[in-house]
C-alpha cells in the first residue's frame, strides 16, 4: 500500500467567526492510500483550539508510513487498532488515515461505505447550514444568500437573543444554536427560555468543556435539549456526557475517524442519548465520509464544503439539506485536478 499526503489551503466564501476565533482560510491535509489499483481518500483540518497544524499531522503520519505501507487486508477496525498506539496523541491525523482506509477498503469490496455497513439511507436526516457570528445585518444577508430548511447559528455575543429574533423575521427554518463554550449557566438557562419561543431545536455546547457541574445544572433546568461538542472528544467521553447532556455531537477529526465514531454513536444510542455528527470546515473529502453515517444519526452538521469558495474534491452533493451520494464506491470521493 502506498501513502500520499497532500496539503491545501481551503478558501472560504466569507470570514467564519465563532465565539473564540475567526478565519478566512482553512488549512487541510488529505491522505490518499493506493492499493491494487484503488485509491482511498481521507481528510483532517488544522485546529488552533486543539493545537493541531497541518505540518504536525504530516510529520506524525510520515513517521509511521512504513507501518501503513505494510498493511494489506486488515479490516478497518483492525487497521485502526494498529495505527492508534502511534497516533493517539494526534487523533486528527488518525482521522485522515482512518477515513482513507475505510474508503479504500469499501472500494476494493465494490460497495459504497454505507452498503458495506448494512445501513439503509431511507430516513437520512437533513444537514443544517451554519451562519457564523457577524453583524446582525450580515448574518441576515448570509441566510438569505442560501435559503435552507435548518440553520445552525453561532452565538456567544452580548446580543445573542437580538440576533436570533431578527433572523427569525426572515425565515421559518429550524434553528439550532451553537455557543461554542461562550455562555454561563444562568445565561444558558435564561437564553433557552427565550430561544425556545423563537423556534430553536437545541443548544450545542453552551458552557466551557470541563464545567461538568454546570453541565449537570443546565441538563436538569434547560427547557431545550443540550448537545455536547467540546465536552465529547473521544470514546471515553460519551459515558461522561450521560446525564449531563441530552445528546453528543461526534467529530471525526477529534475522535480518530469513522471507525471510532461508529463506536461512539453506538454507545450513545445504548445510553438513550441523541446522536449527531458535525464537521469542521472541510472539503468534500471529509464531508462525504460523514454522509455514510447518516442512517445512524438524529442530527447532522455537514455543511463544511458549502462554506468554501472552491472545493478540492467531488463526492456527495447537498441541496436544501438533502444529501445525495456519489455513484462511486467507498465514500464516493474524487480529487479535482
Amino acid at each position: 500500500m502506498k501513502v500520499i499526503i497532500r496539503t491545501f489551503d481551503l478558501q472560504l466564501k466569507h470570514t467564519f467567526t465563532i465565539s473564540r476565533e475567526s478565519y478566512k482560510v482553512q488549512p487541510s491535509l488529505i491522505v490518499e492510500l493506493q492499493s491494487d489499483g484503488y485509491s482511498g481518500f481521507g481528510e483532517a483540518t488544522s485546529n488552533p483550539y486543539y493545537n493541531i497544524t497541518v505540518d504536525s499531522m504530516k510529520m506524525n503520519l510520515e513517521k509511521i508510513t512504513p507501518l501503513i505501507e505494510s498493511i494489506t487486508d486488515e479490516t478497518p477496525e483492525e487497521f485502526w487498532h494498529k495505527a492508534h498506539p502511534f497516533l493517539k496523541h494526534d487523533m486528527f491525523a488518525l482521522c485522515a488515515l482512518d477515513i482513507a482506509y475505510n474508503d479504500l477498503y469499501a472500494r476494493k469490496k465494490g460497495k459504497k461505505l454505507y452498503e458495506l455497513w448494512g445501513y439503509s439511507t431511507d430516513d437520512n436526516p437533513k444537514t443544517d447550514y451554519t451562519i457564523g457570528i457577524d453583524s446582525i445585518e450580515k448574518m441576515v444577508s448570509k441566510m438569505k444568500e442560501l435559503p435552507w430548511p435548518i440553520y445552525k447559528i453561532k452565538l456567544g455575543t452580548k446580543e445573542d437573543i437580538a440576533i436570533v429574533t431578527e433572523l427569525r423575521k426572515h425565515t421559518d427554518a429550524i434553528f439550532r444554536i451553537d455557543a461554542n463554550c461562550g455562555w454561563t449557566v444562568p445565561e444558558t438557562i435564561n437564553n433557552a427560555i427565550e430561544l425556545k419561543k423563537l423556534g430553536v431545536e437545541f443548544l450545542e455546547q453552551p458552557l466551557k468543556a470541563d464545567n461538568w457541574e454546570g453541565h449537570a445544572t443546565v441538563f436538569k433546568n434547560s427547557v431545550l435539549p443540550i448537545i455536547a461538542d467540546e465536552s465529547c472528544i473521544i470514546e471515553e467521553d460519551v459515558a461522561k456526557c450521560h446525564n449531563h447532556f441530552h445528546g453528543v455531537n461526534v467529530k471525526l477529526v477529534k475522535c480518530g475517524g469513522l471507525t471510532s465514531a461508529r463506536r461512539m454513536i453506538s454507545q450513545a444510542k445504548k445510553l438513550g442519548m441523541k446522536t449527531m455528527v458535525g464537521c469542521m470546515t472541510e472539503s468534500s473529502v471529509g464531508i462525504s465520509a460523514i454522509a455514510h453515517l447518516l442512517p445512524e444519526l438524529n442530527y447532522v452538521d455537514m455543511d463544511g464544503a458549502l462554506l468554501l469558495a472552491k472545493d478540492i474534491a467531488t463526492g456527495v452533493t447537498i441541496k436544501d439539506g438533502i444529501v445525495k451520494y456519489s455513484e462511486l464506491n467507498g465514500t464516493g470521493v474524487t480529487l479535482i485536478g
Side-chain angles (χ1 to χ4, degrees):
M1 186 159 61
K2 184 179 179 182
V3 183
I4 301 171
I5 299 172
R6 301 179 178 89
T7 59
F8 297 89
D9 285 329
L10 306 177
Q11 303 287 329
L12 278 66
K13 292 177 184 174
H14 305 285
T15 298
F16 191 76
T17 300
I18 64 174
S19 63
R20 58 176 175 260
E21 62 178 317
S22 296
Y23 55 95
K24 185 69 184 288
V25 177
Q26 174 63 68
S28 175
L29 178 140
I30 303 294
V31 172
E32 179 181 357
L33 299 179
Q34 295 180 344
S35 176
D36 300 327
Y38 296 93
S39 285
F41 300 93
E43 180 176 21
T45 53
S46 66
N47 193 298
Y49 182 78
Y50 295 103
N51 297 314
I52 297 294
T53 67
V54 164
D55 288 341
S56 66
M57 288 190 284
K58 187 171 184 287
M59 179 184 67
N60 289 327
L61 288 167
E62 287 174 343
K63 285 179 181 177
I64 64 165
T65 294
L67 168 69
I68 301 168
E69 292 184 338
S70 71
I71 290 172
T72 53
D73 296 320
E74 282 86 341
T75 66
E77 188 78 26
E78 291 167 339
F79 179 83
W80 192 93
H81 282 292
K82 282 192 174 182
H84 177 255
F86 301 95
L87 293 173
K88 60 185 177 183
H89 61 293
D90 188 350
M91 300 296 265
F92 283 59
L94 179 58
C95 169
L97 184 60
D98 174 81
I99 293 173
Y101 191 81
N102 271 278
D103 184 22
L104 176 66
Y105 187 84
R107 290 187 198 228
K108 291 170 79 170
K109 295 290 185 182
K111 293 182 179 293
K112 294 179 174 60
L113 201 48
Y114 72 80
E115 293 173 336
L116 189 67
W117 293 336
Y119 293 165
S120 168
T121 60
D122 293 343
D123 296 311
N124 281 358
K126 293 180 180 179
T127 181
D128 55 40
Y129 179 77
T130 305
I131 306 296
I133 294 173
D134 212 321
S135 68
I136 294 179
E137 292 76 18
K138 287 184 179 179
M139 291 178 78
V140 169
S141 175
K142 289 175 186 177
M143 195 174 68
K144 288 183 174 181
E145 183 181 289
L146 189 64
W148 211 253
I150 312 168
Y151 290 106
K152 176 189 273 195
I153 302 164
K154 295 287 190 176
L155 296 180
T157 76
K158 295 186 182 302
E159 52 183 6
D160 286 341
I161 302 301
I163 289 171
V164 182
T165 299
E166 183 60 30
L167 293 180
R168 176 49 75 205
K169 294 177 183 177
H170 302 275
T171 181
D172 59 359
I174 294 169
F175 284 170
R176 297 167 178 172
I177 301 301
D178 187 357
N180 284 112
C181 310
W183 291 347
T184 64
V185 170
E187 276 182 308
T188 303
I189 293 170
N190 292 330
N191 285 349
I193 295 169
E194 297 305 313
L195 292 170
K196 185 176 182 179
K197 298 174 187 175
L198 292 167
V200 168
E201 185 176 26
F202 63 71
L203 307 179
E204 185 178 334
Q205 196 68 47
L207 311 180
K208 292 189 182 301
D210 59 356
N211 186 2
W212 292 100
E213 183 178 349
H215 297 320
T217 301
V218 167
F219 176 78
K220 293 174 183 175
N221 293 283
S222 172
V223 298
L224 287 174
I226 311 294
I227 307 297
D229 182 356
E230 284 87 345
S231 294
C232 190
I233 299 173
I234 57 176
E235 293 176 60
E236 291 79 2
D237 295 330
V238 175
K240 289 169 63 178
C241 288
H242 187 231
N243 291 328
H244 290 79
F245 295 90
H246 301 89
V248 293
N249 182 4
V250 177
K251 299 281 182 68
L252 303 190
V253 291
K254 296 192 294 186
C255 73
L258 287 165
T259 303
S260 47
R262 291 181 69 206
R263 296 195 296 259
M264 291 176 73
I265 292 165
S266 177
Q267 186 180 358
K269 291 174 84 167
K270 288 177 182 176
L271 292 170
M273 303 176 76
K274 296 292 186 180
T275 57
M276 178 176 179
V277 166
C279 65
M280 302 301 191
T281 308
E282 295 152 280
S283 76
S284 283
V285 177
I287 298 304
S288 295
I290 292 172
H292 292 265
L293 295 169
L294 286 175
E296 292 289 281
L297 306 179
N298 298 110
Y299 317 114
V300 68
D301 171 34
M302 50 180 292
D303 64 342
L306 297 174
L307 302 174
L308 301 180
K310 184 179 180 181
D311 207 340
I312 59 169
T314 59
V316 299
T317 54
I318 306 172
K319 183 178 181 180
D320 297 326
I322 299 170
V323 175
K324 181 180 179 181
Y325 293 92
S326 164
E327 295 299 318
L328 300 177
N329 289 326
T331 62
V333 164
T334 303
L335 289 185
I336 298 172

